[in-house]
Amino acid sequence: MPSRRNCGRRYAERVVLRDNGVLELDPTQVKYARSRARKAGRPVVNLAKRHTTVSVERATLRLAGLSGADHENVPWVNHLLDSVRAQVGLEHGVTTPVWDALIRGEAPDLLTLAQKAAGGAATFRQPEGKAATTARKQARFAVARGIRTIDAQRKTRDKLIARHGDPTQKPWIYLIVATGDIYEDIPQAQAAAREGADIIAVIRSTGQSLLDFVPEGATREGYAGTYATQENFRLMRAALDETSKELGRYIRLTNYASGLCMPEIATLAGLERLDMMLNDSMYGILFRDINPIRTFVDQRFSRQIHARAGIIINTGEDNYLTTADAVEAAHTVTVSQLLNEYFAKEAGLADWQLGLGHAFEIDPSIPDSFRLELAHALLARQLFPDAPLKWMPPTKHMTGDIFRGYLLDGFFNLAGAMTGQGILLVGMMTEAVVTPWISDRDLALQNVRYVLNAAGGLTEDFHPPRDGFIQTRARQVLADSIDLLDSIVGDSTTSDPPLLAAIADGTFGAMKRPATKGKGLDGVVRKAAAYDNPAIDLLETGETR
C-alpha cells in the first residue's frame, strides 16, 4: 500500500516497507476501516462542538494570563470561573462576562478580578449589543497573547533541534521518571538522558487525573509520581535544555494531558514547551470513570492546543491489554487507533504528531506468542506508516522474576527493532516488584542499547513469508477490527452517537461507561447560540490576533 510522506516535519524518517507493505494488506479493506472510524467518530465530534466544559473555559483564562492560587492552593481560574457560572452561567462562554466586568471597572486586571470574585465582591452579567462586542474584542486580544506564546515556544523547539540535533537512531528511547519530588526528578532525568534516553516522561501523581483543578507551583509530595503543574513543567524543561546542550541532542519532555483538567494541562504544556503529552480519547473514560461527553469535549480542545504547539500525542491503547486478553482483544486496539487517528486529525494534528499506542502484552506462555506480537506490531506500523508509534513494554505478565522480566524486555526491544516502532518505552525488570531504582533504569537502558545496536536494521530485512503465520494473523485482526467498527456504526438512525453506546457496553478494555454517568458530568455545559470562545476561534483559524 503506497504510503503518504509528511514532508518537512521532525518525524520525517520513514520506516522501510515494500511498496505494498510487508503484510500485503488489501488497500480497499484499509480504506474501508478508516471510513468506518470516521463514521463512528463524526457524531462524537459534533457532540463535542455543541458543548463546553469548565476546564475548557479555565484553559481559555489561562491563555489570557491568569495563574496563581489562593492560600489554600485553589487556583484563581477556578474561583473566577465558579463565580461567573453561579451568576450568569457558562452557556455563552466565560470570557465575555469577564471582560465586560473589567471594562465596567469591577477590577483593574484579571488577577484582581479573580481575587474579588473569590470573596464574592465581583458582579458579572451577560452583556448585549455594543457592550458584548467590545468585551469579546478585548477578550480575544488577551487570549491571543497566550496563543502567540505557544507559537513562540514551538519556534524555540525548532531552533534547539536544529542547533543540538535529533537522536540519530529510531526508535526514540522513552524513559519514565517519577519520584514525587520535582527536585529529585530533575537529576534522575538528566542522568537517564546521559545514559541514552531520548524522551523523559514525568509520570503524574496518582489521582491527579480526578482533581478538577491544577495544583500550583513546584511540588515535592506526589504519590507514585509528580504533580503536573506549570512550574514543574518549567523546571524540568529548563533542566533538559541544559542537558540537551551538554549531549548535543535535543531531549524531549513528556507529561499527561488527561483527566478532568486535560485542556488546562495541555495549555500549560504548550506555554512551557513540552514535546509530547499522553492524550488518549478514551483512557479517562475507561480507566478513570470520567464522563464520556466531558472527555470528548476536553480532548478535542486539548488536541487543538497540541496541534498548534507542535506536540506529539501518545495514546493509551496499551491499557486495554491490561484488562482484556491481548490476543482476543487485539482488534479493539486497532479500532481505538483508527478512532484516535480520526479524532486527532479532525482537531488539526498531523501524522508526525500521532504517537498511537500499542503494547507487548501477550501471555509469553502461549505458543508462538512472539510471532503474534510481531503480527500486531507490524499491523500498526503498516496502517499508520507516517506516525511515530509508541510501543509499550510487558507489564501484565511480569511475575517478579527479574531475570525472566529482563529477557521479556529483550524480546520486546527486539520486536520494536524488527517492526520499526517510533517511540520505545523502556521496560523494567523490576516491574511488579518495586518502583525502579536508578540502577534498574541503567540496566534497562543497556538492554535497549544492545538490542538496537545489534538488530536496529532488522526492519529493512524482515519480510514475513507471503500468507504465512504473521501475515495471516495481521489480516485476521484487521478483519475483526472492521467487523467491530461495522457493529459500532450499524444502521443506527438515532441522534445519539453509536460510539457512546459501544463504550457503555464495555467494548473497549472490558469497561462499561455510560454517557449519563461518570466523574465530571456536572462540568459539561451545552453552548448557547451566541457562545464565544476566542481560543477556539484562534486555534481553528490559525490566526494570531
Side-chain angles (χ1 to χ4, degrees):
M1 172 183 166
S3 56
R4 296 164 294 177
R5 184 179 296 271
N6 194 349
C7 299
R9 299 299 190 184
R10 284 295 156 205
Y11 195 86
E13 180 176 317
R14 290 296 314 283
V15 177
V16 180
L17 296 171
R18 289 187 292 180
D19 286 344
N20 61 346
V22 297
L23 295 177
E24 299 179 346
L25 301 175
D26 181 349
T28 303
Q29 273 194 313
V30 174
K31 184 177 181 180
Y32 179 76
R34 278 198 165 86
S35 72
R36 301 308 273 176
R38 284 194 301 272
K39 188 166 184 178
R42 191 177 296 115
V44 174
V45 169
N46 293 336
L47 181 72
K49 288 180 177 180
R50 294 195 299 268
H51 293 82
T52 185
T53 73
V54 291
S55 189
V56 167
E57 301 302 320
R58 293 194 302 250
T60 304
L61 293 173
R62 288 183 181 277
L63 283 168
L66 183 56
S67 62
D70 66 14
H71 65 285
E72 294 181 340
N73 204 33
V74 177
W76 295 120
V77 289
N78 287 66
H79 281 301
L80 183 55
L81 180 124
D82 291 347
S83 182
V84 172
R85 186 178 191 183
Q87 293 186 40
V88 299
L90 295 178
E91 293 79 9
H92 294 83
V94 73
T95 54
T96 302
V98 164
W99 266 265
D100 173 71
L102 290 172
I103 292 167
R104 289 187 290 106
E106 287 283 333
D109 54 56
L110 195 57
L111 176 58
T112 305
L113 181 65
Q115 292 169 340
K116 290 184 67 177
T123 301
F124 299 97
R125 66 175 187 175
Q126 188 59 53
E128 298 179 354
K130 185 177 180 180
T133 301
T134 302
R136 289 179 177 182
K137 182 177 180 180
Q138 291 297 317
R140 182 183 177 98
F141 180 79
V143 171
R145 286 198 298 268
I147 296 293
R148 291 197 297 275
T149 298
I150 289 175
D151 292 343
Q153 288 284 38
R154 180 171 180 167
K155 290 178 181 177
T156 298
R157 179 193 299 114
D158 290 342
K159 290 178 182 177
L160 289 174
I161 291 173
R163 181 183 305 162
H164 301 313
D166 254 342
T168 56
Q169 187 176 37
K170 297 289 191 308
W172 288 334
I173 300 172
Y174 176 117
L175 190 136
I176 290 173
V177 171
T179 70
D181 183 342
I182 188 63
Y183 293 107
E184 291 293 332
D185 289 345
I186 286 172
Q188 290 200 20
Q190 292 177 315
R194 293 184 186 108
E195 290 300 316
D198 303 310
I199 304 163
I200 300 297
V202 183
I203 197 169
R204 197 167 59 179
S205 181
T206 298
Q208 186 178 349
S209 62
L210 300 182
L211 299 179
D212 215 340
F213 68 93
V214 179
E216 187 71 21
T219 63
R220 310 196 69 170
E221 298 177 343
Y223 178 75
T226 302
Y227 285 102
T229 75
Q230 184 169 10
E231 179 64 5
N232 286 347
F233 289 175
R234 187 192 68 79
L235 289 169
M236 184 62 82
R237 182 64 272 169
L240 293 181
D241 282 349
E242 293 178 4
T243 308
S244 297
K245 182 178 180 181
E246 170 193 335
L247 299 177
R249 57 187 172 89
Y250 185 72
I251 306 299
R252 286 172 169 80
L253 175 59
T254 300
N255 212 284
Y256 292 61
S258 60
L260 293 173
C261 292
M262 186 192 306
E264 293 173 86
I265 294 175
T267 296
L268 297 177
L271 292 171
E272 298 299 336
R273 190 171 36 89
L274 272 69
D275 307 286
M276 296 184 180
M277 296 297 283
L278 277 74
N279 184 246
D280 184 82
S281 60
M282 293 189 286
Y283 174 84
I285 301 169
L286 302 176
F287 299 99
R288 294 294 181 266
D289 194 21
I290 295 173
N291 175 259
I293 299 173
R294 170 75 177 261
T295 299
F296 283 119
V297 176
D298 284 350
Q299 68 92 21
R300 185 171 187 268
F301 183 91
S302 67
R303 289 183 176 191
Q304 289 177 317
I305 291 285
H306 291 144
R308 187 70 173 245
I311 289 172
I312 295 172
I313 66 167
N314 296 164
T315 62
E317 283 81 6
D318 57 285
N319 292 282
Y320 301 172
L321 304 184
T322 63
T323 55
D325 183 79
V327 177
E328 293 179 359
H331 62 293
T332 67
V333 169
T334 302
V335 169
S336 180
Q337 289 170 335
L338 289 164
L339 290 169
N340 258 311
E341 179 192 48
Y342 168 73
F343 289 132
K345 289 192 171 183
E346 188 281 329
L349 288 156
D351 284 311
W352 65 273
Q353 292 176 285
L354 305 184
L356 301 173
H358 56 144
F360 190 93
E361 290 284 21
I362 295 173
D363 184 345
S365 66
I366 294 175
D368 295 314
S369 63
F370 187 68
R371 297 168 81 192
L372 289 167
E373 296 283 17
L374 290 176
H376 298 174
L378 278 172
L379 176 61
R381 180 71 281 165
Q382 185 165 335
L383 288 175
F384 311 100
D386 297 301
L389 301 179
K390 184 183 176 187
W391 182 228
M392 299 289 284
T395 58
K396 184 176 182 178
H397 298 288
M398 297 291 268
T399 63
D401 180 340
I402 60 172
F403 301 104
R404 176 181 179 274
Y406 201 63
L407 179 61
L408 273 179
D409 286 334
F411 270 75
F412 159 76
N413 295 331
L414 180 60
M418 293 176 72
T419 60
Q421 302 303 309
I423 302 166
L424 189 147
L425 193 146
V426 176
M428 297 290 163
M429 63 283 189
T430 47
E431 182 76 42
V433 182
V434 296
T435 299
W437 299 92
I438 292 179
S439 56
D440 299 337
R441 293 192 179 100
D442 186 53
L443 286 171
L445 284 166
Q446 287 182 36
N447 190 325
V448 174
R449 288 198 302 269
Y450 169 73
V451 172
L452 293 184
N453 184 58
L458 273 178
T459 307
E460 181 180 338
D461 303 315
F462 177 51
H463 301 283
R466 175 168 291 176
D467 300 327
F469 180 95
I470 289 175
Q471 283 197 354
T472 301
R473 172 59 184 172
R475 292 169 187 164
Q476 182 61 54
V477 173
L478 177 59
D480 291 344
S481 302
I482 291 171
D483 288 343
L484 178 54
L485 285 165
D486 279 338
S487 70
I488 290 172
V489 174
D491 298 318
S492 174
T493 58
T494 67
S495 58
D496 295 330
L499 178 58
L500 294 185
I503 294 171
D505 288 341
T507 300
F508 301 97
M511 298 291 185
K512 295 183 178 182
R513 305 300 191 198
T516 56
K517 296 183 179 179
K519 302 174 181 72
L521 176 59
D522 59 345
V524 178
V525 178
R526 189 176 181 90
K527 296 176 181 176
Y531 173 84
D532 182 68
N533 185 313
I536 293 176
D537 291 342
L538 291 161
L539 291 168
E540 291 187 345
T541 63
E543 295 175 355
T544 60
R545 298 184 184 278

